[in-house]
């Protein structure tokens, strides 16, 4: 069985974990436990979906960045803007490599009975790739805004967008995780 295949559900359950969105019980509000195998399969499928979304975005952005150096306006960029461009391209390349890495890991380790390790590594790579992608987008935005809006306004706008990314991509999920952890704690803890 490859890593992306779903196992046939068996009546016996090994390790119970909460997975309300995967529940197939008759009570739609009840959280049905899932086995460790079901959980790792679900997590792997979620990572695959996330990878598909982020890979497309980072590849389009990286392709755009590579083409910029061949435009007439590129020759007119100041030294800071050229350094910013090179930094942005390197960040884009790193984001591309990091976000595609789970595919390579899967290909090399498929059938090796290492799904837990693959899912853990892929999850970490996705988080790292998202940070690199956010930095790439921020630097790209700053580079474009510095050409279009010379002055401090470009830096302020790019900084504002990066703050928005930090709130949406990192602060919100971490806050939701913290709130869920508080709800799941026993009252006396």
């Amino acid at each position: 069985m490859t890593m992306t295949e779903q196992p046939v559900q068996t009546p016996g359950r090994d390790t119970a974990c909460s997975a309300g969105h995967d529940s197939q019980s008759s009570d739609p509000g009840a959280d049905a436990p899932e086995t460790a195998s079901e959980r790792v399969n679900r997590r792997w499928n979620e990572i695959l979906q996330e990878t598909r979304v982020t890979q497309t975005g980072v590849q389009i952005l990286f392709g755009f960045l590579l083409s910029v150096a061949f435009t007439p306006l590129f020759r007119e960029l100041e030294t800071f803007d050229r350094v910013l461009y090179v930094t942005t391209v390197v960040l884009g390349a790193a984001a591309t490599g990091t976000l595609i890495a789970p595919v390579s890991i899967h290909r090399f380790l498929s059938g090796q009975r290492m799904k837990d390790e693959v899912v853990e590594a892929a999850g970490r790579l996705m988080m790292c790739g998202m940070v690199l992608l956010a930095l790439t987008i921020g630097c790209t935005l700053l580079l474009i805004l510095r050409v279009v809006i010379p002055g401090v306004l470009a830096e302020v706008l790019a900084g504002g967008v990066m703050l928005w990314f930090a709130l949406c991509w990192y602060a919100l999920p971490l806050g939701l995780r913290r709130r869920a952890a508080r709800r799941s704690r026993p009252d006396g803890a």
Side-chain angles (χ1 to χ4, degrees), residues 51-65 91-100 129 132-134 136-137:
T51 300
R52 287 181 184 115
V53 170
T54 56
Q55 276 181 357
T56 303
V58 77
Q59 288 171 339
I60 290 169
L61 179 59
F62 189 56
F64 161 76
L65 287 171
L91 285 169
T96 302
T98 305
L99 291 170
I100 294 175
L132 291 168
L133 178 58
T136 303
I137 292 171

Side-chain angles (χ1 to χ4, degrees), residues 3 40 43-44 47 50-51 97-106 109 114-129:
M3 286 196 232
V40 78
R43 288 184 62 213
W44 177 250
I47 286 172
E50 294 163 1
T51 300
T98 305
L99 291 170
I100 294 175
V103 175
S104 176
I105 290 171
H106 173 261
L109 300 178
M114 297 178 64
K115 192 182 281 186
D116 287 335
E117 293 87 350
V118 169
V119 168
E120 185 67 29
R124 290 182 189 277
L125 285 165
M126 288 297 294
M127 288 301 297
C128 181

